[in-house]
Amino acid sequence: MNDDVLALIFVLFVFACWGLIVFRRWLHRAPDVKAPIAEGRLPDDEVTALLADHGYVVTHGKHKVNVTVRIDDKTLGSQMFVDYFAKRGDAVYVVKVAKSRKPLDLTVGSAVRERLLPYALLYDDTAGVLYVDVVSRQVHQIRFELEL
C-alpha cells in the first residue's frame, strides 16, 4: 500500500469517529420544549386586557401539562395548569393568575420559589413568570436565577 491510500484511510477513520461522537451527542440531547402558540381564538377577558395595559400580548390561553410521578414501583398522575402565555418583544412568559383562595406572599422568596419556579422551568424558551393580580390590577414579572 502506498502512502496516499494510508492517508485516505486515516482521514476516513477520523471522520467516522467524529461523526459517531456528534451522532451520540445528538441522540442523548434533551429535547427543546417550546411554549405553545395559539391555535385559535385567544381569550378576551380581564386578564388579557390587564396584560395588554402593561405591554404584553397574550399568545395562548389555558394549557394543561400532564405530569407522571414515579415513586418506587408506583406511577402517579398529575397535571400542572398554565393560565396564559404572554409575550413582550421577543420574550415569552408563563402567566399565572392570583387566586383569592390561595394568596401568594410576594415578599417571601421561598413562597414565590415553591409556587412559581416549576412554571419557570417548564419551557426552555420562556423568560420568566408573570404573576397577575386582577383585584389590585398588578402584573409582577418574576425571573429566577439559579447558581449551580
Side-chain angles (χ1 to χ4, degrees):
M1 262 199 247
N2 65 19
D3 291 340
D4 292 339
V5 173
L6 287 175
L8 180 61
I9 291 172
F10 178 74
V11 169
L12 289 175
F13 178 74
V14 169
F15 276 125
C17 289
W18 175 77
L20 183 63
I21 290 169
V22 169
F23 177 73
R24 289 190 66 176
R25 280 188 190 157
W26 173 80
L27 190 63
H28 296 291
R29 183 179 58 118
D32 291 337
V33 181
K34 304 242 184 247
I37 304 296
E39 298 171 355
R41 231 181 78 149
L42 293 172
D44 185 23
D45 56 13
E46 194 173 359
V47 175
T48 307
L50 182 58
L51 286 167
D53 290 346
H54 284 83
Y56 297 95
V57 176
V58 172
T59 60
H60 197 282
K62 188 173 274 290
H63 187 73
K64 179 174 85 168
V65 178
N66 291 318
V67 179
T68 301
V69 180
R70 298 189 200 296
I71 302 174
D72 298 326
D73 59 350
K74 282 189 200 173
T75 300
L76 306 172
S78 184
Q79 297 90 28
M80 292 177 67
F81 292 94
V82 175
D83 295 326
Y84 299 89
F85 289 90
K87 187 173 188 176
R88 183 178 356 175
D90 291 333
V92 177
Y93 297 89
V94 171
V95 178
K96 288 301 293 174
V97 178
K99 308 262 189 281
S100 59
R101 60 184 166 82
K102 283 176 109 178
L104 175 61
D105 186 356
L106 293 173
T107 62
V108 179
S110 61
V112 174
R113 180 200 68 224
E114 291 294 319
R115 181 84 65 82
L116 299 178
L117 181 61
Y119 295 99
L121 298 176
L122 264 179
Y123 299 95
D124 294 331
D125 61 341
T126 55
V129 178
L130 298 177
Y131 187 71
V132 178
D133 188 344
V134 178
V135 174
S136 67
R137 304 219 26 96
Q138 292 184 326
V139 176
H140 301 279
Q141 185 184 93
I142 300 168
R143 289 175 291 206
F144 297 93
E145 295 177 12
L146 305 175
E147 295 178 21
L148 303 173

